[in-house]
């Protein structure tokens, strides 16, 4: 008993020493109004991802306390009304508060250092004024990447462009500026110029020509990306948003990843600005190779993903480091850049006939059924293991039946996104999009309740053909009501997550289904996080 008492006392002491503030419905609004900047976590005690976040969140809170940035948490099982008032649909949800009315989502990774970096950026003005040499030197090492503008006081155009870029990218980078020509001279640049300082590769890059918003944004994104980085929880979203293809180098050990990075460095240098290169831990995230149409388990391997078109270009030889030589990969990449490599397309066979009320789409007939016609096409992207998709199925069948007499104007379709490559990057299951006639390049996402009448109204209100069949629906009494589930299942061809997603408790379903997606946001302690 003495041992247990001491253990409980230790836990109590740790809880008392926490730098994360526990808030309730009564204390929440006064707290956020009394603190200039607050990061609030809305959580549930049973949530595995919340448990994985806890030590990272605590560490970040301790570091940020000295910067007068408060971290708080709210137990949504005890404070349901408060959580609902802020639109919390899944756990954990993190939001940034500047008072009770100025709210924005936290969109950074869930690691301590990343949280510190992200919130530090939020605490500063979009552009910090650097008036002395000491201030500049301190700012240059304030984060892994910072941008400093060297502009004359009277150069209103360059200053305005720099501020516009800073406002747009403040979540990603720290921005500083100085008008002192002596500081510019000491840094080896002439006004106007932008210098990007970084803690990797060559240490800094300079931009001195063509000051437009677009060219500065492109410079910031390109120069801030390591020549050969690593895809992981803190970098995946950045690579996906970079706007250029990503070349993956799969290997199981840190030593092999380092060796292959060294081998392929000349290739990466040659293609800098055209492709990003990154190693990836094949042990932790090997299943992602399947998403790139590589053979999972045969390492090392190499593939290129066009992140804009969601096209995959796997290198045919894998399993030996000698296959990934500078010469072989260099030629493959050169061919890719020149357009000589055809994308790999994973597809089920085209159905010989459409048996059910819902039209079945596969990669090979996607263009014909969805794009090349004058119909409004409602397309569900689903996964066979997804509980939400199974619950939606009878309603979706009913919806298709309602539009049967309008088949010349409206198609209700579905595609198994785990077995077919589709042009869109799908983030969750089910994802429902309306490809309306005459505007197929700009599909409309469906985010409303998953009822037959609501879906029919969505087609009527957003489709080009304005077909109205609302009021004819008879909701199926079978299946699980999904409208109040915490969130949709994440898009992944999951193995472990799929097995867990068959549980009976709604909250547990959502938690298990989130494993893959949240692993890339930093939940490294959760099992089955082998998908990107």
């Amino acid at each position: 008993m003495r041992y247990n008492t001491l253990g409980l006392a230790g836990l109590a002491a740790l809880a008392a020493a926490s730098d994360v503030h526990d808030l309730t419905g009564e204390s929440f609004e006064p707290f956020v109004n009394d603190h200039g900047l607050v990061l609030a976590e809305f959580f549930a005690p049973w949530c595995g991802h919340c448990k994985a976040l806890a030590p990272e969140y605590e560490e970040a809170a301790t570091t940020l306390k000295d910067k007068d940035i408060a971290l708080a948490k709210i137990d949504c099982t005890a404070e349901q009304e408060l959580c609902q008032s802020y639109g919390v649909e899944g756990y954990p949800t993190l939001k940034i508060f500047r008072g009770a009315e100025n709210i924005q989502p936290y969109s950074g990774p869930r690691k301590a250092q990343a949280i510190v970096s992200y919130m530090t950026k939020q605490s500063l003005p979009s552009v910090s004024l650097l008036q002395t040499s000491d201030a500049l030197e301190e700012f240059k090492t304030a984060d892994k990447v910072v941008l400093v503008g060297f502009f004359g006081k009277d150069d209103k155009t360059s200053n305005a462009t720099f501020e516009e870029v800073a406002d747009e990218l403040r979540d990603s980078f720290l921005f500083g500026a100085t008008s002192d020509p002596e500081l510019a001279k000491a840094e080896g640049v002439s006004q106007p110029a932008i210098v990007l300082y970084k803690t990797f590769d060559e240490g800094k890059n300079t931009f001195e020509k063509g000051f437009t918003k677009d060219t500065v944004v492109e410079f910031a994104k390109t120069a801030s990306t390591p020549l050969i980085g690593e895809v992981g929880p803190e970098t995946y979203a950045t690579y996906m948003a970079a706007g250029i293809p990503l070349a993956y180098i799969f290997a199981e050990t840190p030593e092999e990843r380092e060796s292959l990075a060294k081998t392929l460095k000349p290739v990466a240098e040659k293609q800098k600005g055209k492709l990003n290169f990154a190693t990836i831990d094949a042990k932790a995230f090997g299943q992602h190779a399947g998403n790139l149409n590589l053979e999972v388990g045969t390492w090392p391997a190499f593939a290129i993903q066009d992140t804009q078109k969601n096209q995959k270009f796997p290198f045919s030889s894998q399993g030996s480091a000698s296959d990934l030589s500078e010469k072989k990969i260099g030629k493959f990449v050169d061919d890719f850049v020149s357009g000589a490599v055809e994308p790999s397309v994973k597809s089920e066979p085209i159905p010989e006939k459409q048996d059910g009320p819902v039209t079945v789409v596969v990669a090979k007939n996607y263009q014909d059924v969805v794009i090349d016609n004058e119909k409004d096409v409602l397309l569900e992207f689903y996964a066979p293991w997804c509980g939400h998709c199974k619950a939606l199925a009878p309603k979706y069948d009913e919806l298709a039946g309602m539009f049967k007499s309008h088949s010349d104007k409206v198609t209700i379709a579905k595609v198994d996104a785990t077995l077919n490559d589709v042009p869109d990057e799908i983030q969750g299951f089910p994802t429902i999009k309306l490809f309306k006639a005459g505007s197929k390049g700009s599909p409309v996402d469906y985010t409303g309740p998953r009822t037959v009448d609501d879906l029919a109204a969505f087609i009527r209100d957003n489709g080009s053909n304005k077909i109205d069949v609302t009021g004819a629906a008879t909701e199926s009494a079978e299946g699980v009501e999904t409208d109040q589930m915490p969130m949709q299942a994440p898009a992944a061809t999951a193995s472990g997550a799929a097995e867990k997603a068959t549980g009976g408790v709604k909250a547990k379903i959502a938690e298990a289904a989130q494993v893959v997606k949240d692993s890339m946001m930093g939940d490294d302690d959760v099992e089955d996080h082998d998908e990107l």
Side-chain angles (χ1 to χ4, degrees), residues 225-520:
T225 304
L227 188 61
I228 298 184
E230 180 155 11
V231 177
E234 296 184 15
T235 60
Y236 181 69
T238 301
Y239 280 119
M240 291 299 103
I244 60 176
L246 174 61
Y248 295 84
I249 306 166
F250 284 87
E252 291 186 283
T253 67
E255 294 78 14
E256 189 170 28
R257 290 194 292 277
E258 182 178 354
S259 175
L260 286 169
K262 184 177 180 180
T263 298
L264 298 180
K265 183 179 178 180
V267 181
E269 288 176 332
K270 178 181 178 181
Q271 304 295 348
K272 187 172 178 62
K274 298 177 183 177
L275 281 82
N276 285 325
F277 284 72
T279 61
I280 180 169
D281 185 345
K283 284 186 177 179
F285 307 116
Q287 289 300 319
H288 187 57
N291 297 334
L292 300 169
N293 298 346
L294 287 167
E295 182 181 341
V296 176
T298 304
W299 317 119
F302 183 88
I304 299 172
Q305 179 183 10
D306 185 329
T307 58
Q308 299 296 98
K309 299 178 181 178
N310 196 29
Q311 293 178 331
K312 298 87 180 275
F313 302 82
F315 185 60
S316 58
S317 299
Q318 58 182 103
S320 170
S322 62
D323 291 329
L324 274 60
S325 66
E326 177 187 346
K327 182 178 180 181
K328 293 178 180 178
I329 295 299
K331 184 180 185 308
F332 178 72
V333 174
D334 284 342
D335 289 344
F336 168 80
V337 171
S338 69
V341 181
E342 291 293 324
S344 169
V345 179
K346 178 172 60 178
S347 178
E348 294 178 282
I350 296 176
E352 293 183 7
K353 62 179 180 177
Q354 300 285 353
D355 293 323
V358 177
T359 300
V360 176
V361 174
V362 299
K364 291 179 179 179
N365 70 355
Y366 185 95
Q367 192 72 22
D368 290 336
V369 176
V370 180
I371 306 300
D372 293 340
N373 54 67
E374 293 302 316
K375 298 182 183 181
D376 295 326
V377 180
L378 188 72
L379 181 61
E380 176 201 3
F381 300 84
Y382 75 95
W385 49 261
C386 165
H388 300 276
C389 306
K390 293 176 182 177
L392 176 62
K395 300 177 184 181
Y396 208 64
D397 284 347
E398 183 178 344
L399 179 72
M402 291 164 58
F403 281 96
K404 187 175 181 179
S405 61
H406 303 281
S407 60
D408 60 326
K409 300 290 185 183
V410 176
T411 297
I412 308 299
K414 64 182 179 180
V415 58
D416 182 346
T418 69
L419 295 179
N420 297 277
D421 287 337
V422 293
D424 298 296
E425 183 73 21
I426 303 302
Q427 299 297 328
F429 297 129
T431 288
I432 301 173
K433 294 176 180 283
L434 178 64
F435 296 80
K436 61 182 182 179
S439 187
K440 300 286 188 169
S442 302
V444 183
D445 291 316
Y446 181 75
T447 58
R450 299 184 196 128
T451 68
V452 176
D453 270 339
D454 284 306
L455 286 163
F458 174 72
I459 296 170
R460 177 198 65 203
D461 296 340
N462 294 278
S464 297
N465 295 314
K466 305 300 179 185
I467 302 300
D468 187 4
V469 296
T470 55
T474 302
E475 290 296 325
S476 172
E478 298 180 0
V480 180
E481 178 56 57
T482 63
D483 297 337
Q484 301 303 317
M485 285 189 177
M487 62 183 65
Q488 67 189 138
T493 56
S495 51
E499 294 170 5
K500 291 181 182 178
T502 59
V505 182
K506 294 180 182 178
K508 293 296 184 182
I509 293 173
E511 180 187 347
Q514 276 297 105
V515 167
V516 172
K517 183 178 179 182
D518 281 354
S519 72
M520 290 312 301

Side-chain angles (χ1 to χ4, degrees), residues 148-151 155 157-162 165 190-195 206-216 219:
V148 177
F150 296 88
F151 309 119
D155 188 351
T157 301
S158 296
N159 276 291
T161 299
F162 192 65
V165 172
S190 300
Q191 297 174 330
I194 299 171
V195 179
T206 302
F207 182 82
E208 295 180 299
K209 295 182 179 180
F211 281 86
T212 67
K213 178 186 173 183
D214 290 343
T215 57
V216 175
F219 163 73

